[in-house]
Amino acid sequence: MRRWVLRRQVLRRWVLRRQVLRRWVCAVAATACLGGCAFQPNPFTDEERLAEARQDVTSVLAAQEPLKRPLTLEEAFARAVAYNLDERVKVLEKMVAQRDFEFSKLDLLPKVGVNAGYSNRDNILASSSTSILTNRQSLEPSTSTDRDLRFADLTGSWNILDFWVSYFNARQQADRVLVAEEQRRRVLQGLFQDVRRAFWRAASAQRLGDDIRDSIRVAQRALTSSRKVENEALRSPIDALRYQKSLLDALRDLESVQRQLDVSKIELAALLNLPPGTNYSVVVPNTLRVARLGVPVKQMEEVALLRNPDVREASYQVRISADETRKMLARNLPGLNFSYGPSFDSNSFVVNNSWTAGAVRLSGNLVSILSIPEQMRRGELMEQTAVTRRQALSMAVLAKLHIAYQQYLSATKEYYWADQLASIDRRLYQQISNRTETDAQSELERVSARVSAVNSDLRRYRSYAEAQAALGRLYDVVGIDPVPEKVPALDIASLSAAIRKTSSDWKNGRLADAVAAEPAGAAPVAAVASHSPRRGPGAKAVAEPVLQ
């Protein structure tokens, strides 16, 4: 009777446990199903997107130093380095690559696994044995496992194959950090080229904006006067119409240039990440000074092959391809694994509840081993492809260098003639303005001379801006870094001073010393220098625009 009661109690507890477990399983399953069905596309509302956009603009502009004085070219460069968002993205990408490299080094360490847990059964784990000869039960049901178990183990393992794979992967990540740096240099050099062009366009707009607007008003009045002269037959109709045609052509050109100049300061502000609508001025020198070049083209070719970011990135890609071949080979070889560590099991039936175990295992895929020769041939082709790509880039850089060099020479010559023509037009307008005649013919002549003088000044500034842009392209191809590698601080004043010193190095011809001081394979050098062509006998000296 007592045994029957105990069995009944055990059965009741088992039924209750099964019911509770069934309820929990149903509740979890229902929650998972309802949660999975509840997910729907959730687009931003206009209010949320507007708040996010305002927050973006506020956070971008919050940390900027206000512009309280006229902007110099060096300060424009410094603000581009500090605040341009494209440059900031490349800096962050380099930081991400650096973090990936740090993580990859952790894969070289042995693996340490920790395992701990608890298990429970609602009944006893029992078993019996059956004779294979008589097919009769030879042992009554018995157990060697507790219902409640606690277990834990700490195992350290080290695989030679995984170590070599991780080693080559870490080397590739290190090269990718350098690739990210070269990509940042490429963006920075392109940014400096854009800033240089936009700065001189803004300088042209600032210096000639008032003259262009006055010339447009004077030309419009002269056009009205010419039509009046034509109607009164005070001048030959053919001469009057020709004069009106020349005035209309000049007005069209002046208004077209005015539209271009009106947006030049906006373009510069966008490159410097200045707040929209900022009213600022740039420092425009009274005299557009030029200086001679000082480095032969042959040396510029050597520096371009050494410093150009595209070529340097291609060199790193060759190393990455070579390590990819080695990693592929290491991954397919047999691996030797060592493991060792303590373990614990709370099972009361176990004689030794804690123990230490170690093992050595050799494993490999025979099919992968047989495919190693084919994979090696593929790896060699990948390496050869990377080398050929680097060679193609090197030759392309040399071609770009000579093209940029010739464009620079043409731009400086164009500026020379534009400067001469502007000087003559200004003196001619002054002579015509000094006349005392008051007839209509003299007035029309003065208007024409003024429009011509303004157009010549405009061509002069535009030619100077093109010469500066050509100089920027030359620096870009050569791979010269405008910003030193080490700057005392990242504020605008320190960056401007560092860039100004670099500009001085350009003018003083320290290119060879700057590159020689840099060890092979190091980070970009700080100093740069000016360049000059090799001139033959009887060739005229060509001037180089100096950074103002």
Side-chain angles (χ1 to χ4, degrees), residues 435-446:
R435 291 179 180 178
T436 58
E437 290 85 358
T438 59
D439 58 335
Q441 177 67 26
S442 179
E443 176 65 23
L444 295 177
E445 189 177 2
R446 283 196 295 271

Side-chain angles (χ1 to χ4, degrees), residues 239-461:
D239 293 339
L241 291 174
R242 286 176 177 172
Y243 182 73
Q244 292 175 26
K245 181 178 182 298
S246 63
L247 283 177
L248 288 173
D249 289 338
L251 280 171
R252 182 187 59 189
D253 295 339
L254 288 173
E255 291 182 353
S256 175
V257 171
Q258 186 182 24
R259 288 192 297 269
Q260 295 177 8
L261 295 181
D262 287 341
V263 300
S264 58
K265 297 185 72 172
I266 301 176
E267 293 176 352
L268 180 60
L271 291 172
L272 307 185
N273 205 29
L274 291 175
T278 301
N279 186 16
Y280 68 97
S281 61
V282 298
V283 177
V284 185
N286 294 326
T287 303
L288 301 181
R289 297 166 48 205
V290 292
R292 295 181 179 178
L293 298 172
V295 176
V297 177
K298 189 64 176 179
Q299 187 175 359
M300 293 167 61
E301 292 177 355
E302 295 175 356
V303 177
L305 294 177
L306 177 66
R307 304 298 302 146
N308 186 275
D310 292 328
V311 178
R312 291 172 68 91
E313 180 182 349
S315 296
Y316 293 132
Q317 292 294 346
V318 171
R319 295 202 318 202
I320 292 175
S321 298
D323 284 336
E324 183 66 27
T325 302
R326 300 185 183 99
K327 186 171 67 175
M328 179 177 55
L329 176 62
R331 187 182 290 116
N332 291 314
L333 292 175
L336 188 62
N337 186 78
F338 301 89
S339 62
Y340 183 82
S343 301
F344 169 78
D345 194 332
S346 65
N347 190 2
S348 61
F349 293 93
V350 177
V351 176
N352 297 313
N353 293 99
S354 60
W355 67 96
T356 301
V360 179
R361 294 183 178 87
L362 179 66
S363 61
N365 189 334
L366 296 180
V367 176
S368 297
I369 295 175
L370 294 177
S371 66
I372 286 178
E374 185 62 31
Q375 294 182 3
M376 289 296 296
R377 285 191 289 269
R378 179 182 180 276
E380 291 175 357
L381 287 175
M382 290 177 59
E383 293 180 38
Q384 187 61 38
T385 301
V387 171
T388 305
R389 185 180 295 112
R390 183 193 62 197
Q391 294 172 350
L393 282 173
S394 298
M395 299 307 297
V397 164
L398 292 179
K400 289 180 181 179
L401 172 62
H402 283 269
I403 293 173
Y405 179 69
Q406 293 300 325
Q407 289 176 344
Y408 170 71
L409 293 182
S410 299
T412 53
K413 290 179 181 178
E414 180 67 25
Y415 168 71
Y416 172 78
W417 295 118
D419 184 54
Q420 297 275 330
L421 182 60
S423 177
I424 292 175
D425 279 336
R426 284 195 303 270
R427 286 182 289 170
L428 181 61
Y429 170 65
Q430 186 176 6
Q431 292 294 328
I432 295 176
S433 298
N434 292 334
R435 291 179 180 178
T436 58
E437 290 85 358
T438 59
D439 58 335
Q441 177 67 26
S442 179
E443 176 65 23
L444 295 177
E445 189 177 2
R446 283 196 295 271
V447 172
S448 178
R450 178 170 184 174
V451 172
S452 178
V454 171
N455 273 325
S456 295
D457 277 335
L458 181 60
R459 282 193 298 269
R460 176 173 174 265
Y461 272 93

Side-chain angles (χ1 to χ4, degrees), residues 220-230 244 440 443-444:
Q220 288 174 345
R221 288 198 300 267
L223 184 61
T224 303
S225 300
S226 177
R227 288 169 179 168
K228 183 178 179 181
V229 169
E230 179 189 2
Q244 292 175 26
E443 176 65 23
L444 295 177

Side-chain angles (χ1 to χ4, degrees), residues 33-55:
C33 293
L34 292 176
C37 297
F39 281 110
Q40 296 293 334
N42 186 23
F44 284 109
T45 63
D46 293 341
E47 291 78 8
E48 292 174 341
R49 187 66 197 93
L50 180 59
E52 186 180 56
R54 289 174 176 173
Q55 179 63 30

